[in-house]
Amino acid sequence: MPTNQSKAPASKKIIFTASCLLALGFFSAHEFLLNFYPETLAQRNVIKFFISVIPFCLSFFAWRTNKSGLSLFMTLGLFLCCVGDVVINITFLLSIALYLVGHSLFIKGFFCCKKPRVFQFVLWGVMFLSIFVWLFFFANVSTKQKIEGFVYSAFMCAMVAFSFCGPAIVCAGGIIFGLSDVLLMLNIVLDTENGLPHIIALGVYYVGVFLMAAYVFLLERSSASKSGSATID
């Protein structure tokens, strides 16, 4: 583990806080348009792009001087999530594919910190089996949607389970990201994709994404450090 690391300076904390507030403003505008002016698809896609590009930019510009394996894969995963956020209303299957690759990159990043342990594989299996049973026996959706749910859940549950290999803030981001996926699936099954359920599901997703970005952005380390661990204060 590296010892040449320090706390994030106040300037970085201010920038990160301002970025979160800016994203909150964009998010509020997106949900307002969705619920009161649903025909504004193009405008909402533009807003979602600006929301999602914020955590990616934070990660990318910080990674340039903070080149650990975990930071690299977090940045690449956030980029794919950014693209997936934009195309989800245009081509759903492409967005799913982007998220799946993004989840795989996150998992690869987690493995840069620690090797997975047995309990993580068990956790992966238990979570996936629970969702599988729910989708197969209780969810009133088409066979196509069930297959999509099975495939996506396998990757999503793996991301959550193996996030325990990473630092606490990354682990929290992975768990919250996974929770947003579960909420999204519930919204699709229950046909409650607008209103408060949508606000909660999408809002939780952005919390998870920004936590992952915070790991990369709020770190001060030597660029020679290749380990994924560091301190945020």
Side-chain angles (χ1 to χ4, degrees):
M1 297 297 179
T3 56
N4 50 347
Q5 56 192 35
S6 61
K7 298 178 181 180
S11 59
K12 278 199 167 186
K13 294 179 181 179
I14 292 172
I15 293 172
F16 185 78
T17 301
S19 299
C20 291
L21 293 175
L22 179 61
L24 179 60
F26 280 132
F27 176 69
S28 301
H30 177 274
E31 294 304 300
F32 175 80
L33 291 177
L34 175 63
N35 287 282
F36 295 100
Y37 301 96
E39 70 278 5
T40 56
L41 177 60
Q43 293 89 333
R44 286 186 280 116
N45 283 338
V46 171
I47 292 173
K48 283 192 73 174
F49 168 77
F50 281 112
I51 300 174
S52 301
V53 82
I54 292 173
F56 164 70
C57 288
L58 290 172
S59 298
F60 175 75
F61 288 112
W63 168 77
R64 296 176 66 184
T65 56
N66 173 25
K67 294 184 177 180
S68 71
L70 178 55
S71 296
L72 170 62
F73 290 110
M74 289 295 101
T75 301
L76 293 175
L78 288 171
F79 171 73
L80 292 183
C81 289
C82 175
V83 179
D85 285 347
V86 175
V87 304
I88 192 170
N89 292 324
I90 303 172
T91 167
F92 185 74
L93 287 179
L94 177 58
S95 70
I96 292 298
L98 290 168
Y99 288 129
L100 292 183
V101 178
H103 286 348
S104 300
L105 289 169
F106 290 143
I107 293 170
K108 175 64 176 177
F110 301 151
F111 290 167
C112 291
C113 300
K114 296 178 184 176
K115 293 182 178 180
R117 289 169 287 178
V118 173
F119 95 89
Q120 291 169 313
F121 287 96
V122 174
L123 179 61
W124 179 13
V126 170
M127 288 190 299
F128 176 69
L129 181 61
S130 300
I131 295 176
F132 182 92
V133 170
W134 173 66
L135 284 174
F136 190 84
F137 292 104
F138 301 103
N140 184 24
V141 294
S142 67
T143 301
K144 176 177 175 290
Q145 288 176 310
K146 288 184 178 182
I147 293 173
E148 293 171 353
F150 294 151
V151 174
Y152 191 86
S153 297
F155 283 80
M156 180 268 289
C157 292
M159 181 191 68
V160 172
F162 297 125
S163 69
F164 286 92
C165 292
I169 192 170
V170 172
C171 181
I175 293 172
I176 293 173
F177 195 140
L179 175 60
S180 73
D181 286 336
V182 173
L183 294 174
L184 176 61
M185 284 192 289
L186 282 172
N187 288 344
I188 293 173
V189 171
L190 300 176
D191 195 23
T192 56
E193 298 182 53
N194 293 333
L196 184 59
H198 183 274
I199 293 173
I200 294 173
L202 190 59
V204 168
Y205 162 73
Y206 285 127
V207 170
V209 168
F210 269 83
L211 282 175
M212 289 184 172
Y215 166 79
V216 184
F217 186 72
L218 295 177
L219 291 180
E220 286 294 307
R221 288 185 302 183
S222 166
S223 61
S225 172
K226 301 301 180 183
S227 170
S229 95
T231 300
I232 297 177
D233 184 25

